[in-house]
Amino acid sequence: MFDFMRLLSGDRAGAPRRGGSARRPAPSVLLQLRLVFYGVLLGLMMPVIRQIDWSALVPPGLKVEWPTGFGIAWPAGHLRVPGGWGGATDAPSAEASSATATAAGATPGAPTTGTLATAASVASAASTAAAAASALSGGKAVSARFTICGHAKRIDCMVDGDTFWMAGTKIRIADIDTPETHPPRCARERRLGEAATVKMQALLNAGPFKLVPIKRDVDRYGRKLRLVERDGKSLGAELVRHGLARQYGGGKRSPWCGWGRA
């Protein structure tokens, strides 16, 4: 590390000394081009880094605290890590940024590119939140493009056949029970669970659907309990007809691993 810092500062081993002090020549053009390349590469990777769900990679029971808050800005994105001990200084900065964005939208010639991007992101997030709230109330049909959930931040993706994320909200389909995939109890349950996940993904991606509330709003895990319907027909019932789900109305769930089946 120290050799690298000395290299950047222009010092080189074996350079002639003048007056007892070591002063190395400036870094070469090739080295400077390398640094620029690595900086651009890191900037291009920043949007991908921001999508990673780092909490899923931390072992259970381990808590990570940052000593201070800091941010990294690149042409391709902005990474913000909230502060622990520096939280008191982070809040005024956030408020100042918000005020700047508001002022920028109202004052001609004042906004910068970064400020406009921040204001647009805030407006987009507010619009998405409003649409999600309307969908969860069953007010209107919604549609999204669902993937299979991984380590990235979960926005619109399938957990398994009866659980999915939509607009950042976790939803449990209330009228069915599908085989577990996290983890399955046997090979048969794994196969059925994967098939149920893919089938429900296809049904949700087939077009607009409604999220119909029931008497209970959330379950004990904090998931929103909703019926999923299209044209008045339950998508959960479609999974039941394909043998990939069972009707569920509460109580203990039946196992999917039977005797004599692996």
Side-chain angles (χ1 to χ4, degrees):
M1 174 64 75
F2 291 114
D3 290 339
F4 181 69
M5 296 301 294
R6 284 197 295 270
L7 184 63
L8 292 183
S9 65
D11 289 337
R12 291 182 183 276
R17 300 173 180 267
R18 300 182 202 169
S21 63
R23 198 66 177 170
R24 298 172 187 171
S28 66
V29 174
L30 180 59
L31 176 60
Q32 295 180 47
L33 290 176
R34 281 184 183 176
L35 293 176
V36 171
F37 171 76
Y38 292 142
V40 172
L41 183 62
L42 181 58
L44 294 175
M45 291 174 59
M46 198 59 60
V48 177
I49 294 175
R50 292 172 59 198
Q51 292 296 320
I52 297 177
D53 184 7
W54 296 104
S55 61
L57 305 179
V58 178
L62 179 63
K63 182 178 181 181
V64 179
E65 293 185 356
W66 298 96
T68 57
F70 65 91
I72 303 175
W74 297 93
H78 179 78
L79 176 66
R80 177 67 182 170
V81 179
W85 302 336
T89 59
D90 290 339
S93 299
E95 293 176 0
S97 299
S98 177
T100 302
T102 303
T107 306
T112 63
T113 302
T115 303
L116 285 176
T118 302
S121 299
V122 171
S124 177
S127 176
T128 301
S134 176
L136 290 171
S137 67
K140 64 176 183 177
V142 293
S143 61
R145 193 67 186 172
F146 293 89
T147 60
I148 303 298
C149 295
H151 291 301
K153 187 176 181 180
R154 298 181 173 185
I155 305 297
D156 299 313
C157 65
M158 305 297 305
V159 176
D160 54 29
D162 57 26
T163 306
F164 62 95
W165 289 78
M166 191 190 76
T169 299
K170 197 172 187 179
I171 299 170
R172 171 68 162 81
I173 303 176
D175 60 344
I176 59 171
D177 174 50
T178 60
E180 294 294 333
T181 58
H182 305 287
R185 298 172 182 85
C186 63
R188 175 176 180 267
E189 184 172 35
R190 176 182 58 80
R191 289 193 299 268
L192 290 173
E194 291 174 353
T197 304
V198 172
K199 181 62 177 178
M200 182 54 72
Q201 178 191 16
L203 289 173
L204 294 179
N205 286 338
F209 56 87
K210 279 192 175 184
L211 298 174
V212 181
I214 61 173
K215 290 182 179 180
R216 286 181 62 192
D217 183 52
V218 298
D219 64 6
R220 58 177 177 169
Y221 303 109
R223 301 175 297 186
K224 293 288 187 180
L225 295 173
R226 296 293 186 272
L227 302 177
V228 182
E229 297 182 351
R230 178 178 292 124
D231 299 327
K233 297 179 180 179
S234 168
L235 298 188
E238 184 71 15
L239 240 61
V240 174
R241 283 193 290 272
H242 283 81
L244 299 175
R246 297 188 181 119
Q247 289 185 346
Y248 182 71
K252 187 177 180 179
R253 297 176 175 85
S254 301
W256 287 89
C257 298
W259 290 102
R261 290 173 148 174

